Amino acid sequence: RDGDVIVVTSKVVSKAEGRVRPAKREEVLGDETDRTVAWRGHTTIVRTHHGLVMAAAGVDASNTETGTVVLLPRDPDASARRIREALARGTGRNVAVLVTDTAGRAWRTGQTDIAIGAAGLDVLQDYSGRTDPHGNELAVTAPAVADELAAAADLVKRKLDRRPAAVVRGMSGLVLVPGRHGPGAAALVRDETHDMFGLGAREAVLSALHEDDPRGFGLPCT
């Protein structure tokens, strides 16, 4: 229906776009990595070329044939736009599209789905300048609604049910008019200069002791 949000797992998008490789995860990790954030034993957390911070750069060996891995889409926002435009042509409906992937979270055990690509949706609601019922002005409140929708949709897509897409209905107020795709999920990637946690605990100590960091994340605030 008009105003629906179509939530598609990145795995099926990557398969459709030919991003499956006959390789082991460690063999392709370097090409998918912008820089290493933290490393412990067999676990490597990296920043991808998309700006996403994920374990193993989002390279996945699950739900794919044994001996193969699936890379993230090269441009998830572009993938979302193509799907949205194809749905508009095929159905005549104005919907938003999210491309999602599973990610861990600092300070929290477990994983949840997040939006890595978006089209036709206001991905962030900025409440700055608004007041609450008590008259307090909000300064930094900005719900990442695209991530919230991605997590909600994963409750019905699930990991082992071979269900790669879900429809979220009732959020039409977030869906943009035809022809407007919005800023995409790239708008949710924090700039490195504002990133207070750009390195793992051990890596931050080593960086401080041995080298100047040319990336500039974690600059002091004014």
Side-chain angles (χ1 to χ4, degrees):
R1 300 177 186 174
D2 284 332
D4 284 349
V5 181
I6 314 301
V7 184
V8 186
T9 179
S10 63
K11 182 72 62 66
V12 74
V13 175
S14 291
K15 288 180 177 181
E17 294 179 350
R19 298 283 285 164
V20 179
R21 298 289 184 271
K24 296 180 180 179
R25 181 180 291 163
E26 56 270 20
E27 294 173 345
V28 298
L29 179 58
D31 289 340
E32 300 300 305
T33 297
D34 176 47
R35 66 174 176 83
T36 299
V37 173
W39 172 74
R40 299 286 188 283
H42 296 295
T43 301
T44 304
I45 309 298
V46 309
R47 181 180 173 97
T48 72
H49 299 295
H50 316 84
L52 303 168
V53 176
M54 289 182 161
V59 178
D60 203 341
S62 65
N63 289 303
T64 185
E65 292 186 11
T66 302
T68 66
V69 294
V70 183
L71 314 182
L72 292 178
R74 290 189 184 278
D75 186 341
D77 281 333
S79 300
R81 292 191 295 268
R82 285 193 294 270
I83 295 171
R84 185 188 189 212
E85 291 166 354
L87 286 169
R89 290 192 302 270
T91 69
R93 302 299 183 183
N94 178 43
V95 301
V97 172
L98 295 179
V99 176
T100 67
D101 197 44
T102 304
R105 299 150 306 152
W107 312 296
R108 303 283 286 180
T109 298
Q111 302 83 33
T112 187
D113 268 25
I114 62 172
I116 66 169
L121 187 82
D122 283 324
V123 298
L124 194 72
Q125 287 187 318
D126 189 358
Y127 282 38
S128 299
R130 301 186 189 183
T131 55
D132 68 14
H134 299 282
N136 300 306
E137 184 174 336
L138 303 180
V140 295
T141 303
V145 293
D147 285 346
E148 293 175 330
L149 292 169
D154 191 52
L155 293 172
V156 294
K157 288 195 283 95
R158 304 174 65 86
K159 299 304 179 190
L160 300 175
D161 290 358
R162 302 177 66 85
R163 187 180 297 128
V167 176
V168 178
R169 186 161 290 160
M171 303 299 294
S172 59
L174 300 175
V175 178
L176 302 176
V177 298
R180 283 191 58 204
H181 291 312
L188 296 174
V189 175
R190 189 186 300 277
D191 188 279
E192 285 189 301
T193 59
H194 298 152
D195 187 358
M196 296 173 66
F197 307 98
L199 291 170
R202 175 179 175 274
E203 289 72 21
V205 172
L206 292 174
S207 177
L209 288 174
H210 297 296
E211 62 182 25
D212 293 328
D213 180 9
R215 300 296 289 255
F217 46 76
L219 289 179
C221 63
T222 59

